[in-house]
Amino acid sequence: SKPKRQSFSQTTLESPNFSSTINLSISRRAPLRTQDYIVLTGLKISCIIGIFDWERKKKQVVLIDLKIPCDVYKASQKDNIADAVDYKKIAKTAIAFVEKSDFQLVETLAEKLADLLIKTFRLAEIELAVSKPAAIRGSQNVGVKIHRIQPIACSNDLVFLSLGSNVNPRQN
């Protein structure tokens, strides 16, 4: 004989022991059509960075790489800069910030720059690398790469909806 296939039936829902909760997250921001990115690599900027006395006196070159998720479809269809992410403004903001900075660690520079760009340009997320080409003798480069997402607490783009049912709550 064939084994019976179990199904989720209405009688299950009507059972006095049945309890359910549905959680639904809704985003007002339209999901990306594809995973497109604006990529800016090898942005050379001179700044004070480092822990040693000589590094605190002389500017050094750091390299900045940015990867910013965004949907480029609309801009590509209209071929209009007004519909595109203005990566020139993002680059100028990064340059101005880094040139004036004087952090000891590339980790701190990366965190502060990511935070600034997320807040200034209302980015949902950013991947950012900061490196010092001259930091380690014999290596081409050394640095950090971080990926940051805009904190949900700061986002006005999320709505949470919870629906629940607790049939016969004293037993469940």
Side-chain angles (χ1 to χ4, degrees):
S1 74
K2 255 184 167 175
K4 287 188 175 181
R5 210 172 79 183
Q6 289 186 333
S7 64
F8 193 74
S9 66
Q10 186 174 2
T11 56
T12 304
L13 291 172
E14 293 170 350
S15 164
N17 296 326
F18 180 76
S19 177
S20 70
T21 301
I22 299 169
N23 289 312
L24 176 64
S25 295
I26 300 172
S27 175
R28 283 186 264 155
R29 179 177 292 154
L32 295 181
R33 192 180 65 77
T34 60
Q35 193 60 44
D36 302 336
Y37 297 94
I38 295 294
V39 180
L40 190 147
T41 57
L43 187 61
K44 290 182 182 182
I45 309 169
S46 293
C47 68
I48 298 294
I49 186 94
I51 59 170
F52 300 111
D53 288 340
W54 68 268
E55 292 178 302
R56 307 305 301 155
K57 295 175 184 166
K58 183 179 178 189
K59 287 189 173 193
Q60 299 178 71
V61 170
V62 294
L63 298 176
I64 307 289
D65 296 335
L66 302 172
K67 184 176 177 183
I68 303 167
C70 62
D71 189 350
V72 301
Y73 183 75
K74 184 178 179 183
S76 73
Q77 295 303 296
K78 293 183 177 182
D79 198 28
N80 188 336
I81 188 67
D83 296 318
V85 172
D86 192 341
Y87 48 84
K88 186 172 184 175
K89 281 185 182 177
I90 291 172
K92 283 184 171 190
T93 301
I95 291 166
F97 178 79
V98 173
E99 284 179 337
K100 292 177 185 173
S101 71
D102 65 350
F103 299 109
Q104 293 188 22
L105 304 175
V106 291
E107 293 87 343
T108 308
L109 177 56
E111 287 290 343
K112 300 295 185 182
L113 181 57
D115 186 56
L116 172 71
L117 295 176
I118 283 173
K119 288 178 179 172
T120 303
F121 296 98
R122 301 187 71 221
L123 304 175
E125 63 183 281
I126 190 168
E127 194 172 291
L128 185 143
V130 177
S131 55
K132 288 172 56 175
I136 303 292
R137 185 178 17 194
S139 75
Q140 288 183 331
N141 208 351
V142 65
V144 297
K145 184 178 191 179
I146 64 173
H147 179 230
R148 297 295 176 260
I149 298 172
Q150 179 186 34
I152 290 176
C154 297
S155 176
N156 293 327
D157 296 328
L158 290 178
V159 174
F160 294 97
L161 173 65
S162 292
L163 303 172
S165 171
N166 197 358
V167 178
N168 206 351
R170 290 188 183 139
Q171 291 181 354
N172 294 319

